[in-house]
Amino acid sequence: MKILNRDFFLQKTLIVAKELLGKTIVHHINNKKLTGIITETEAYFGFDDDACHAHKKMTPRNKIMFEKGGFSYIYLIYGMYYCFNITTENKHFPSAVLIRAIKTNDIDYKKTNGPGKLCKYLQLTKQQNNIDLTTNPDFYIINTPSPKAKIIQTPRIGINYAKTHKDVPWRFVLNI
DNA sequence: ACCCCGATCGTA
DNA sequence: ACGATCGGGGTT
């Protein structure tokens, strides 16, 4: 049971996105320990990826994407849901992995199989934005063994507005 | 100051 | 297929 360290998150975003499958998110909050095994991810990185929040310029919201690997990037979407990302690669290069689904011990997969749903379950909000997941005692990722399940690679979800990078296969899913 | 719209989700 | 809901970011 080892916590994922800086070197892991400094790798290329596509590697991190794929390798995060099977790893365990831990969030201690209100005297509870909330956990989930990552089953779906998406990679967003660089100045060419027009689905990447930070591909044009740095703004107050997306500035976390320019951090070095291992920081939480959590933002509000559609006025009602949060999305949880983990930054990757080196400082000044905008890049992160969106966590799209987790599997839990206690509740049905239907309740945690979406980026907004898993944030609700793990109680992740703006409060948990910009946290170093490699040093924080209450929010970190455990290096649980990678499952044998087959990894499916597909285009990313919900980015039909993108022009150049709508169809790149940067989504990774564990075949549950 | 104003306006548009989104890395979603539940319901129909 | 569609509406909820609101902050961010671009534009005036």
Side-chain angles (χ1 to χ4, degrees):
Chain A
M1 282 305 183
K2 226 173 147 188
I3 292 173
L4 288 183
N5 61 19
R6 186 77 61 210
D7 285 343
F8 177 85
F9 295 107
L10 290 179
Q11 299 177 92
K12 292 288 187 186
T13 308
L14 288 173
I15 301 294
V16 176
K18 192 172 172 180
E19 295 285 320
L20 271 177
L21 295 175
K23 303 296 190 285
T24 302
I25 303 170
V26 180
H27 185 212
H28 297 265
I29 185 168
N30 298 330
N31 295 316
K32 281 178 300 183
K33 180 182 179 183
L34 303 170
T35 69
I37 297 174
I38 298 170
T39 57
E40 180 179 340
T41 61
E42 281 177 1
Y44 291 86
F45 60 96
F47 300 99
D48 299 325
D49 176 9
D50 61 345
C52 174
H53 283 169
H55 79 283
K56 269 188 188 154
K57 58 173 290 197
M58 187 186 292
T59 69
R61 180 182 67 162
N62 71 33
K63 66 181 180 195
I64 314 299
M65 289 196 76
F66 292 82
E67 254 305 344
K68 61 189 169 190
F71 285 77
S72 60
Y73 169 47
I74 299 177
Y75 64 93
L76 182 68
I77 187 68
Y78 296 109
M80 338 166 59
Y81 303 103
Y82 288 97
C83 287
F84 169 43
N85 302 250
I86 306 173
T87 62
T88 56
E89 307 195 39
N90 294 313
K91 195 170 170 67
H92 306 307
F93 182 70
S95 50
V97 172
L98 169 68
I99 310 300
R100 289 194 53 88
I102 59 172
K103 202 163 141 286
T104 68
N105 294 325
D106 47 336
I107 66 170
D108 196 272
Y109 190 50
K110 290 185 186 69
K111 295 282 191 185
T112 55
N113 65 347
K117 298 184 199 178
L118 70 90
C119 281
K120 188 178 175 192
Y121 173 78
L122 292 173
Q123 297 185 36
L124 300 176
T125 69
K126 263 207 135 34
Q127 300 290 116
Q128 284 74 36
N129 188 35
N130 197 14
I131 287 177
D132 187 348
L133 301 174
T134 69
T135 61
N136 192 284
D138 295 322
F139 192 18
Y140 50 88
I141 315 294
I142 294 180
N143 187 14
T144 40
S146 294
K148 296 279 199 289
K150 190 180 169 189
I151 294 174
I152 300 167
Q153 198 171 347
T154 80
R156 296 170 296 180
I157 305 298
I159 55 160
N160 288 330
Y161 60 86
K163 298 285 185 284
T164 63
H165 283 59
K166 180 161 66 75
D167 299 316
V168 293
W170 292 352
R171 172 172 177 252
F172 300 89
V173 187
L174 271 189
N175 204 358
I176 305 288

